[in-house]
């Protein structure tokens, strides 16, 4: 059975494991197709599974972010997938990439029953120690490097390579080297943006101000953040209207021509607002935008006032 489910949040680990699976199962000459469920519908991957390859009889099919699909909203395609897994083609190597599946869902239960599940976890500090085994480095310095990389194996590997090249003669790496050479990772900005919107929705002003400053540190100027906020509020407003018509995530995504995953995340915020409140907030942002462009008032202060007055 050439069907695998890989659970991990690290892209480097996934890449290495996929290379290993391709080699172990003798699919080195196969054509490789990758489908990200946040970017394209599952039916595209299903079509690839059900058709013959042009250049080779063998195919490697990679399906990313399968966890974003809700069974009730995607029953037809998921049932098609489960049926394929019951009688999968030996000419296909199918790999699902998932950050973490909710084991209570039907999708998770079916995939784990029908696929070989691979959980990839790594001790990041042990990884650093091994990467820098030929260098004199203290545990405190290893801890600092791990903290700066937020446990991201891909970033750790890149930063270790940089440090090795920089200290190749001295063969000693210190905290000062980490502070000087390693760029501290601020986290996933998409997630930071969403958490910022959530903090605003929950009227958690302290958290919203903190996240606002994180966004500013990432070279997002106040006008850009204002535009992002306005865009978020507009989609919340649109989704709220459509969900009141009892439309599913898939139906709303189709109407708004948005990704289904974004609709699902947005619906986590709609309960915090009435339609009237959202309209008033959008008008307030339009007023701030005008002031930013026509007055000398510090744009950073204008948005801070907006947050504290919510």
């Amino acid at each position: 059975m050439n069907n695998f489910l890989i659970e991990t949040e690290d892209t480097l680990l996934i890449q290495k494991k996929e290379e290993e699976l391709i080699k172990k199962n003798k699919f080195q000459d196969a054509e490789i197709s990758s489908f990200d469920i946040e970017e394209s519908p599952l039916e595209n991957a299903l079509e690839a599974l059900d058709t013959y390859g042009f250049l080779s009889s063998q195919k490697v099919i990679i399906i990313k972010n399968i966890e974003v699909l809700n069974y009730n909203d995607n029953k037809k395609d998921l049932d098609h997938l489960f049926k394929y897994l019951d009688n999968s083609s030996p000419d296909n190597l199918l790999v699902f990439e998932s950050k973490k599946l909710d084991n209570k869902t039907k999708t998770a239960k079916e995939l784990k029953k029908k696929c070989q599940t691979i959980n990839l976890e790594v001790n990041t500090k042990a990884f650093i120690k091994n990467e820098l085994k030929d260098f004199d480095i203290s545990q405190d310095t290893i801890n600092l490097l791990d903290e700066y990389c937020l446990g991201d194996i891909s970033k750790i590997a890149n930063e270790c390579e940089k440090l090795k090249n920089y200290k190749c003669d001295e063969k000693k790496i210190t905290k000062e080297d980490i502070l000087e050479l390693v760029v501290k990772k601020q986290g996933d900005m998409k997630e930071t943006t969403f958490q910022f919107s959530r903090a605003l929705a929950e009227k958690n002003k302290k958290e919203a101000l903190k996240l606002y400053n994180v966004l500013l540190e990432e070279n997002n100027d106040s006008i850009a953040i204002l535009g992002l906020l306005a865009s978020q509020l507009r989609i919340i407003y649109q989704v709220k209207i459509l969900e009141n018509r009892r439309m599913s995530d898939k139906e709303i995504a189709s109407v708004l021509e948005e990704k289904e995953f974004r609709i699902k995340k947005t619906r986590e915020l709609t309960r915090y607002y009435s339609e009237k409140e959202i309209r008033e907030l959008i008008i307030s942002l339009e007023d701030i935008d005008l002031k930013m462009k026509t007055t000398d008032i510090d744009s950073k202060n204008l948005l801070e006032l907006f947050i504290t007055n919510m």
Side-chain angles (χ1 to χ4, degrees), residues 276-289:
K276 181 183 177 183
E277 285 176 321
I278 304 174
R279 286 197 301 269
E280 289 174 348
L281 287 173
I282 291 172
I283 291 169
S284 295
L285 289 180
E286 289 173 349
D287 182 53
I288 292 172
D289 182 55

Side-chain angles (χ1 to χ4, degrees), residues 80-96:
H80 183 157
L81 175 63
F82 301 152
K83 185 176 180 180
Y84 168 83
L85 291 172
D86 286 331
N87 189 28
S88 58
S89 170
D91 289 331
N92 291 337
L93 174 66
L94 174 60
V95 180
F96 296 96

Side-chain angles (χ1 to χ4, degrees), residues 124 127-128 146 149 151-161:
T124 52
F127 181 87
I128 293 171
D146 187 45
C149 294
D152 182 332
I153 289 294
S154 300
K155 181 169 175 59
I156 288 172
N158 289 333
E159 295 298 346
C160 283
E161 194 62 31

Side-chain angles (χ1 to χ4, degrees), residues 8-186:
T8 184
E9 294 192 7
D10 193 273
T11 55
L12 181 63
L13 293 179
I14 287 176
Q15 181 184 335
K16 288 183 177 296
K17 176 54 68 174
E18 287 172 346
E19 290 172 354
E20 178 187 318
L21 290 172
I22 289 170
K23 184 177 181 180
K24 182 179 178 181
N25 292 280
K26 300 179 179 178
F27 275 76
Q28 295 97 316
D29 297 326
E31 57 180 284
I32 301 176
S33 299
S34 180
F35 302 89
D36 188 336
I37 300 304
E38 290 187 359
E39 303 290 339
S40 64
L42 178 59
E43 62 182 326
N44 290 353
L46 294 173
E47 183 179 351
L49 286 170
D50 292 339
T51 55
Y52 292 103
F54 292 109
L55 303 177
S56 168
S57 61
Q58 290 185 316
K59 288 193 295 185
V60 177
I61 308 294
I62 298 170
I63 301 178
K64 303 178 181 181
N65 295 311
I66 190 69
E67 71 275 5
V68 306
L69 293 182
N70 178 283
Y71 178 76
N72 292 330
D73 293 336
N74 300 273
K75 186 176 185 302
K76 180 182 176 182
D77 286 341
L78 284 171
D79 283 343
H80 183 157
L81 175 63
F82 301 152
K83 185 176 180 180
Y84 168 83
L85 291 172
D86 286 331
N87 189 28
S88 58
S89 170
D91 289 331
N92 291 337
L93 174 66
L94 174 60
V95 180
F96 296 96
E97 296 180 7
S98 172
K99 294 182 178 66
K100 188 64 179 176
L101 280 168
D102 181 353
N103 291 327
K104 297 177 183 178
T105 64
K106 179 178 176 64
T107 301
K109 290 175 182 177
E110 290 293 322
L111 289 178
K112 293 194 173 184
K113 181 169 67 175
K114 301 173 189 293
C115 299
Q116 299 179 50
T117 302
I118 302 169
N119 290 300
L120 296 179
E121 294 184 4
V122 65
N123 183 318
T124 52
K125 293 174 184 177
F127 181 87
I128 293 171
K129 190 172 183 179
N130 182 65
E131 285 290 297
L132 302 176
K133 60 181 180 294
D134 297 328
F135 291 74
D136 180 7
I137 182 170
S138 69
Q139 188 60 50
D140 284 346
T141 304
I142 289 174
N143 294 344
L144 181 62
L145 177 56
D146 187 45
E147 177 188 332
Y148 262 47
C149 294
L150 294 182
D152 182 332
I153 289 294
S154 300
K155 181 169 175 59
I156 288 172
N158 289 333
E159 295 298 346
C160 283
E161 194 62 31
K162 184 198 299 181
L163 289 162
K164 284 189 284 189
N165 290 334
Y166 185 71
K167 304 303 294 276
C168 60
D169 294 328
E170 192 176 341
K171 295 292 183 183
K172 181 176 181 178
I173 296 172
T174 66
K175 284 186 176 182
E176 287 70 28
D177 295 324
I178 306 300
L179 295 171
E180 180 181 352
L181 294 171
V182 178
V183 178
K184 190 170 184 179
K185 183 176 179 180
Q186 296 296 329

